[in-house]
Amino acid sequence: MKLSRLPIWIKAAIIAAITVLLVNVLAVTLCTVPFDGMENSIYKGEKILVSRWSYGLRVPFSTERILSKRAKVGDILLFNNPSPSDPYRSVWRRETFIGRCVGTPGDTLMLDNEYLVTNYKKISPDMKMLYSYLPSAEDTLVALIKHLGIKNNQLAGYGDKRFIRSFSVYEYYILKKYLPKDFVLEPLVKEFNRINSVHSFVIPAKGVKVDVYPWNVALMCNTILHHEKKPAYVRNDSLFVNGRYSKSYIFEDDYYWITSNNPLNTCDSRLFGFVPQSHLIGKAEYVVMSPDRGRLFKKVE
């Protein structure tokens, strides 16, 4: 049957369906937030509008990009899993994650032994840390959490000596203003205990040489092996690429360091390392569906 012979309403439906498909493939897409790692920026179950043009359009069924652009520090972006259970599965067919970009190609981050960014306060007021307090102070803290309207805050750990909760930089600031002066709410990992375990990590950039050190050799090797597609291995803290000892490596792609707001959620670069430019889908722009009506059409920041 020719299209010209179809009823007008069927033609309109076909055109509308094609238009929606093209917009979804070429311009924007909707993402349902799969976990609570990005609270308080976005919440689990919310639907987010993602712009596919933010970093250059990724050609459908490919990792090539049109008018490729780099993400910026602070962007909340959608990306494909860089470390899937099936490494041979095409990038565009892998599961999607959402997180905040804290390191762009060529940046240097200070990371501790657990790959936590130590200068987190410069990144986002929503970035969370773990804090401990005495069990006897639980009722006081819970009452204040409820009074201040701090949402989705559950015990992260407890024992006879200390209870543990996670708070964002902003939440901690507000709590300290209202808590009694003798209330001790302190970071679980103090800065002076971390200083000896903090090292500099250069985020790989296309065409730029990155030196190899004992603390970054594992990340370097995994990135070269899985994303640069070169045979690589580590022996005695030394990197070997194509069977040769390498003091440095020049990368062929741009990479990013992406984190969750909540340190309890490790679906980020702490788990899978550097995220290639080719895996980026787009930038999260607006909340379009949420159980909290007050958040509808709120810009994602």
Side-chain angles (χ1 to χ4, degrees), residues 165-215:
R165 289 180 183 268
S166 64
F167 298 103
S168 68
V169 175
Y170 178 72
E171 289 169 349
Y172 177 67
Y173 172 77
I174 295 298
L175 283 168
K176 291 295 286 184
K177 291 182 65 175
Y178 287 92
L179 285 170
K181 292 183 179 181
D182 59 348
F183 192 108
V184 180
L185 180 65
E186 58 185 3
L188 186 63
V189 182
K190 295 183 179 179
E191 208 60 37
F192 65 79
N193 288 332
R194 300 168 63 180
I195 192 168
N196 292 327
S197 64
V198 173
H199 300 287
S200 61
F201 287 76
V202 176
I203 311 302
K206 184 177 181 179
V208 177
K209 181 179 70 174
V210 179
D211 293 330
V212 180
Y213 300 99
W215 59 82

Side-chain angles (χ1 to χ4, degrees), residues 100-104 109 111 115-117 201 203 219 255-259 269-270 273-275:
R100 186 184 298 276
C101 174
V102 299
T104 60
L109 294 182
L111 306 178
Y115 294 147
L116 284 170
V117 180
F201 287 76
I203 311 302
L219 274 177
Y255 293 85
Y256 298 87
W257 193 262
I258 298 174
T259 69
S269 288
R270 288 172 292 162
F274 300 122
V275 178

Side-chain angles (χ1 to χ4, degrees), residues 189-259:
V189 182
K190 295 183 179 179
E191 208 60 37
F192 65 79
N193 288 332
R194 300 168 63 180
I195 192 168
N196 292 327
S197 64
V198 173
H199 300 287
S200 61
F201 287 76
V202 176
I203 311 302
K206 184 177 181 179
V208 177
K209 181 179 70 174
V210 179
D211 293 330
V212 180
Y213 300 99
W215 59 82
N216 73 351
V217 66
L219 274 177
M220 293 271 287
C221 181
N222 289 337
T223 305
I224 295 167
L225 183 64
H226 298 299
H227 301 307
E228 300 276 307
K229 305 301 182 183
K230 303 284 181 62
Y233 61 91
V234 175
R235 179 187 296 165
N236 298 325
D237 288 335
S238 296
L239 176 66
F240 292 81
V241 181
N242 290 322
R244 296 181 179 181
Y245 168 65
S246 301
K247 291 184 177 180
S248 61
Y249 182 83
I250 298 176
F251 285 85
E252 299 177 2
D253 198 0
D254 285 332
Y255 293 85
Y256 298 87
W257 193 262
I258 298 174
T259 69

